[in-house]
Amino acid sequence: MGLGDIKYEDVIAATEEFRRMGRDNFLQTYGFGRATSYELVLGGLRYDSKAIAGVAHGHATGDFLSPGDFSGGAATVARRLRDLGFVVETGETPWNRAALLGRLRKLKVSRGPGAPAPSRHQPLSLLWAISREAGERPRMTPWSQFRDEVGPLLLEFGLPNAKATPAYPFWHLRGSGLCVGGSPKGVEQRVRTPRGPGLMRADDFDAFFEERRKVLQEHIAAAMGKPVVGRPYPRPAA
């Protein structure tokens, strides 16, 4: 079960419960914190989007989601709520070059067992996405094209013996705060990394949220490369 199970009426039921219980009690009952980025706006009131989605999923299926069940992050929740016709607003401060580069530096990456250096799969995929912006190529990329273009980069510039495939960044960049990533379409939200048929059903990869894209386009030369694969990602000794 995933966010695709949620229907409009389930969200309405969750917002009614939110109002009845009060914000603090609602969040405490279901184990959520206050929203730091996206809020659902309905009837002049603001709701914590992820908490509403988790409770709405419970109304839809009987399975109430906890914060740890949202592998795609708040942006994926916002997208689903918008798809259902709701207004979702962001409380983030306006993006500028410093904010974009700061987010790139803080990109969370995994480390394999016994690996001294962080994985390069997400940073390399972001460099690929930045190069597409610099070249004014189409923003949307289907999984098959992402696989064919990013795969060779991972083989050439990734860490030796790295096992992650292009499927990993295609899926997990959704939670970076930078990219929409390969958003699921009929794919279980809590799957760590879907395979074959699941990826073929995923929406196209959308490399950057619109406000991030505008900043990147304005500062494309300064944003290229170094903050992503510079000091935190040293090339291992031969």
Side-chain angles (χ1 to χ4, degrees):
M1 293 180 239
L3 294 181
D5 296 308
I6 298 174
K7 303 296 186 293
Y8 182 91
E9 56 270 23
D10 302 318
V11 176
I12 294 298
T15 60
E16 292 173 348
E17 188 174 352
F18 182 104
R19 293 197 306 274
R20 185 172 62 253
M21 296 177 65
R23 183 182 195 182
D24 291 341
N25 190 25
F26 180 87
L27 295 177
Q28 183 177 6
T29 297
Y30 292 105
F32 286 87
R34 292 202 172 203
T36 59
S37 53
Y38 297 95
E39 292 181 320
L40 169 67
V41 181
L42 181 66
L45 299 177
R46 306 181 78 88
Y47 302 84
D48 305 88
S49 61
K50 190 178 289 187
I52 290 296
V55 175
H57 191 273
H59 285 289
T61 67
D63 180 16
F64 289 82
L65 302 181
S66 67
D69 292 325
F70 292 88
S71 62
T76 302
V77 173
R79 180 171 183 167
R80 177 57 183 162
L81 293 174
R82 287 167 177 156
D83 286 346
L84 291 172
F86 293 98
V87 174
V88 181
E89 295 182 353
T90 176
E92 294 181 330
T93 56
W95 275 71
N96 55 27
R97 178 173 175 267
L100 176 63
L101 297 183
R103 183 61 64 90
L104 287 170
R105 292 188 183 101
K106 294 178 181 178
L107 181 68
K108 294 181 179 180
V109 294
S110 63
R111 292 175 185 264
S119 166
R120 292 179 177 175
H121 288 75
Q122 291 192 56
L124 286 170
S125 298
L126 282 174
L127 282 175
W128 167 84
I130 291 171
S131 74
R132 290 181 63 84
E133 289 293 332
E136 299 182 349
R137 298 176 66 188
R139 57 181 286 188
M140 305 298 289
T141 311
W143 156 242
S144 58
Q145 182 179 354
F146 182 96
R147 176 195 61 205
D148 294 344
E149 294 186 8
V150 173
L153 296 177
L154 302 184
L155 289 174
E156 183 173 357
F157 299 106
L159 293 175
N161 302 317
K163 295 182 179 180
T165 68
Y168 180 85
F170 182 82
W171 186 253
H172 291 283
L173 277 170
R174 294 176 299 126
S176 68
L178 290 162
C179 308
V180 179
S183 300
K185 181 190 294 179
V187 180
E188 169 53 52
Q189 288 278 335
R190 286 175 283 176
V191 170
R192 289 193 174 183
T193 306
R195 299 172 181 263
L199 285 166
M200 293 303 293
R201 293 197 305 271
D203 289 337
D204 291 352
F205 184 90
D206 190 357
F208 291 97
F209 290 112
E210 187 60 32
E211 64 271 25
R212 282 69 155 170
R213 175 175 289 105
K214 290 178 180 178
V215 173
L216 181 60
Q217 290 169 343
E218 292 171 359
H219 304 279
I220 193 72
M224 287 290 284
K226 184 178 178 181
V228 184
V229 296
R231 187 174 61 249
Y233 303 96
R235 181 172 291 278

